[in-house]
Amino acid sequence: MEHITYAPKEVNKAKESLLLLKYILFTYNLLIFMCGLVLLAVGIWMAVDRNFLTTIIGIDLYAAAVFLILIGGGLIFIFSFIGCCGAISESICLLAAFFIVLCVISATLFIGGFCAVAFRAQIGDKIQKTMSDTLVQYYGVEFQYEKNRLVTDAWDKTQERLQCCAVSTNGWSLYKQSQWFKRFGSLDDQPLKYEEESRPYVPLSCCVKDRFWRYINQDVCQKWRIGPPGSPVDGAINRALYYNVSDPN
């Protein structure tokens, strides 16, 4: 009976191929591990630093988004670590568990992404409506109610940190529909006065700050009438107000 023997070069080549495959698999798992870590960090950041957005976006929607990001990031973090260990130790059980969970997570993300794309218009409209309603009804008035205080604080933080004014691109006009404007806003039928004597069109959190965190021009931001916020968007440009400026040039 003849014995089959392998040449040393063929054996070494097979071992090198397996070793290369092992480190490729480890690198792949390490990248997924880092992605899971980043996703987990983003979820924690949203839960802690951007928690005020729940008040104006809607607690259920924002909380669900944060929950899904935390759960997804945590699962990817844990099971990619298992995949790394399985690749190094060449454990079939660990690698099998990793690939099964990876397939489940991938399918879930695909379904979630498909639903988000399919219903993006409805989701966007609902978020905008919720934000507009909170601003119009609760911002800056009746501070004896906790909800009004929370909404006002949330909108001020949102506008200052995101450098915006209200909901849409030229959302400063939404303030004219608000309870705050009815009580404290400018009276359009009054004659033009000096800026310090007139009443504001927008709150102070809509105003642009310089690098030293000082308002560049508070009166122009809040009370200007030859452009936003006192006049239509096609008036003179207001560099002291947060909104989308379209230069003619």
Side-chain angles (χ1 to χ4, degrees):
M1 184 175 180
E2 296 181 357
H3 294 280
I4 301 174
T5 57
Y6 295 94
K9 289 184 178 181
E10 294 180 356
V11 173
N12 291 336
K13 188 175 181 179
K15 288 183 177 179
E16 289 175 359
S17 298
L18 289 174
L19 187 63
L20 178 61
L21 182 61
K22 172 181 174 180
Y23 284 108
I24 289 174
L25 186 60
F26 174 79
T27 304
Y28 173 74
N29 284 292
L30 184 61
L31 290 175
I32 296 179
F33 176 82
M34 294 174 66
C35 290
L37 186 62
V38 170
L39 197 61
L40 193 60
V42 170
I44 294 173
W45 172 74
M46 289 177 65
V48 177
D49 190 62
R50 290 294 185 268
N51 191 45
F52 60 88
L53 291 173
T54 60
T55 309
I56 59 178
I57 292 179
I59 294 176
D60 294 337
L61 185 61
Y62 189 85
V66 172
F67 177 77
L68 289 175
I69 290 174
L70 286 172
I71 293 298
L75 289 175
I76 292 172
F77 178 81
I78 293 171
F79 285 100
S80 59
F81 178 76
I82 292 175
C84 290
C85 295
I88 291 297
S89 62
E90 300 180 8
S91 171
I92 302 298
C93 293
L94 290 178
L95 290 174
F98 167 74
F99 279 112
I100 291 172
V101 174
L102 183 62
C103 290
V104 172
I105 293 175
S106 299
T108 304
L109 291 176
F110 176 78
I111 295 172
F114 177 79
C115 292
V117 171
F119 298 102
R120 66 184 183 279
Q122 293 90 327
I123 295 173
D125 291 342
K126 180 175 177 57
I127 291 175
Q128 286 194 17
K129 186 179 185 306
T130 302
M131 293 175 70
S132 299
D133 289 344
T134 58
L135 187 147
V136 169
Q137 297 176 21
Y138 306 110
Y139 180 86
V141 294
E142 299 180 352
F143 288 121
Q144 68 271 25
Y145 300 111
E146 183 181 10
K147 182 172 183 178
N148 295 47
R149 295 196 301 270
L150 292 174
V151 167
T152 302
D153 182 63
W155 266 113
D156 286 338
K157 287 181 179 178
T158 300
Q159 292 176 152
E160 288 179 352
R161 297 188 186 187
L162 302 183
Q163 298 183 352
C164 61
C165 189
V167 181
S168 59
T169 301
N170 298 308
W172 44 266
S173 59
L174 183 63
Y175 275 102
K176 290 185 178 182
Q177 306 172 29
S178 67
Q179 295 298 319
W180 170 84
F181 188 83
K182 292 177 182 178
R183 298 190 185 189
F184 309 108
S186 178
L187 303 175
D188 288 333
D189 57 351
Q190 69 180 356
L192 287 173
K193 300 179 180 180
Y194 291 109
E195 301 292 352
E196 60 270 13
E197 297 177 0
S198 59
R199 297 166 70 180
Y201 288 93
V202 294
L204 198 57
S205 56
C206 282
C207 299
V208 178
K209 294 180 179 181
D210 61 18
R211 58 182 181 146
F212 300 108
W213 210 243
R214 299 172 302 190
Y215 296 106
I216 63 173
N217 196 323
Q218 180 179 334
D219 288 334
V220 170
C221 167
Q222 293 185 288
K223 305 172 184 178
W224 215 27
R225 288 193 176 188
I226 60 174
S231 293
V233 68
D234 56 353
I237 294 174
N238 189 346
R239 299 288 184 184
L241 174 69
Y242 285 127
Y243 74 109
N244 185 29
V245 179
S246 299
D247 292 322
N249 297 327

